[in-house]
Amino acid sequence: MSILILADHDDGQLAPATLNTVTAATQIGDDIHILVAGDASGEVAKSAAAIAGVSKVLTADDTTLAHGIAENVAPLILSMASDYSHLMAPATITGKNIMPRVAALLDVMQISDIIKVESPESFQRPIYAGNAIATVTSNEPVKVVTVRSTAFEPAAEGGSAVIEAAAASADAGLSSYVKSELSSSERPELTSAPIVISGGRGMQDGSNFAMLEKVADKLGAAVGASRAAVDAGFVPNDYQVGQTGKVVAPDLYVAVGISGAIQHLAGMKDSKVIVAINKDEEAPIFQVADFGLVADLFDAVPELETKLD
């Protein structure tokens, strides 16, 4: 079976989630191609070609594709769809933006956010905020699939795929790129950080997140937050971990002052080790935590920072 993966990339860097998607694809078939759209430098294509298990990289370099505009990228994928049994992408902002449009243009159902491949036609995906797992079987001629990257290990390097040019589609003229306003940080990106420390409503105020930031800097960790903390205005939206935020699965997740609503657990319960700090010993977060500390966070976090010295 031939599989086409849409590469997620930005500023000449291949997003790590693409590697996880390749791992999922290898469980379906062994003829895996990656489409790199809008990479003027060619560095993303070179990185994709070096992924083990990838046999071909297709590059479509055009200004209309430069910023991943769905209205322009989707027709490009559509023009290639007849050669593939599966069209895949990571379930990132890019994949969630483009692949539903591809599925609609093909008039097929999309299988979203898969966490396990049972067969080339059957996949598992979470529903009800991760409290149940649905097995979805599709008999569509082309399967359009997005992959939850935290459910699969990243593919290794060591590949030597051929790189070929692909013709870009014409500008659909439906939308255009204006500008990007991105927050910058020296800390790791939240979805790929090996350690994440998150705060909840128990932080009481946005200024108190400085405590978590000090610990994060010593651990080389990213800082996250629950929806309650974000809705209260403590931190920006891009900190949010949960069903309606970012899904993370780091080696270590530290939840500070987070009660553990199911919406938050849906975004972090696949973490390898979960540590919870909460003064309420009945907090639901302790049901999923590997290590729990019943304590006032305003005592525990400064003490943790001191001991890290």
Side-chain angles (χ1 to χ4, degrees):
M1 292 185 176
S2 295
I3 302 162
L4 181 66
I5 297 173
L6 174 65
D8 190 347
H9 64 91
D10 188 40
D11 292 331
Q13 299 291 323
L14 185 68
T18 304
L19 303 179
N20 305 87
T21 305
V22 171
T23 297
T26 59
Q27 298 175 19
I28 299 172
D30 55 8
D31 187 18
I32 299 171
H33 300 176
I34 293 183
L35 171 62
V36 178
D39 173 35
S41 68
E43 292 303 315
V44 175
K46 293 177 184 176
S47 298
I51 302 173
V54 176
S55 58
K56 183 186 293 185
V57 175
L58 301 170
T59 62
D61 178 21
D62 191 273
T63 55
T64 62
L65 304 171
H67 301 285
I69 296 174
E71 290 83 353
N72 293 338
V73 178
L76 172 63
I77 299 174
L78 188 68
S79 69
M80 303 176 176
S82 60
D83 296 329
Y84 297 96
S85 61
H86 295 72
L87 304 175
M88 303 179 71
T92 57
I93 292 173
T94 298
K96 290 178 179 180
N97 187 29
I98 295 172
M99 299 310 282
R101 183 175 290 270
V102 173
L105 290 171
L106 289 170
D107 194 24
V108 300
M109 73 171 187
Q110 176 175 305
I111 306 173
S112 304
D113 224 22
I114 68 163
I115 58 172
K116 184 178 180 181
V117 176
E118 291 196 341
S119 74
E121 293 79 29
S122 187
F123 310 88
Q124 289 187 6
R125 63 179 302 269
I127 58 174
Y128 303 129
N131 287 295
I133 304 299
T135 299
V136 181
T137 300
S138 170
N139 60 1
E140 303 281 13
V142 179
K143 280 75 171 173
V144 179
V145 180
T146 60
V147 177
R148 178 174 289 195
S149 59
T150 57
F152 297 89
E153 293 296 323
E157 294 185 354
S160 55
V162 297
I163 300 177
E164 295 182 1
S169 302
D171 187 352
L174 297 174
S175 59
S176 61
Y177 172 79
V178 178
K179 65 177 180 177
S180 297
E181 294 184 7
L182 304 174
S183 58
S184 59
S185 174
E186 295 181 358
R187 298 190 186 92
E189 204 279 323
L190 187 57
T191 55
S192 59
I195 302 174
V196 174
I197 179 167
S198 290
R201 193 193 302 273
M203 298 302 295
Q204 298 183 3
D205 189 85
S207 61
N208 292 328
F209 269 77
M211 295 190 302
L212 303 188
E213 291 169 355
K214 291 177 181 178
V215 173
D217 289 340
K218 293 183 178 181
L219 292 173
V223 178
S226 67
R227 177 171 180 172
V230 171
D231 286 349
F234 295 170
V235 289
N237 288 346
D238 56 356
Y239 278 48
Q240 185 177 330
V241 173
Q243 182 183 9
T244 54
K246 296 178 179 178
V247 176
V248 301
D251 295 329
L252 172 63
Y253 187 88
V254 183
V256 181
I258 295 176
S259 63
I262 60 172
Q263 291 85 354
H264 184 75
L265 299 183
M268 45 66 72
K269 65 181 181 181
D270 290 330
S271 303
K272 292 181 175 62
V273 177
I274 299 172
V275 175
I277 301 174
N278 199 300
K279 65 180 180 181
D280 178 11
E281 63 182 16
E282 301 297 327
I285 191 71
F286 288 122
Q287 296 178 14
V288 299
D290 298 286
F291 300 93
L293 175 61
V294 179
D296 189 324
L297 68 88
F298 295 102
D299 296 327
V301 174
E303 184 178 356
L304 173 60
E305 181 199 348
T306 301
K307 293 191 179 298
L308 287 172
D309 289 333

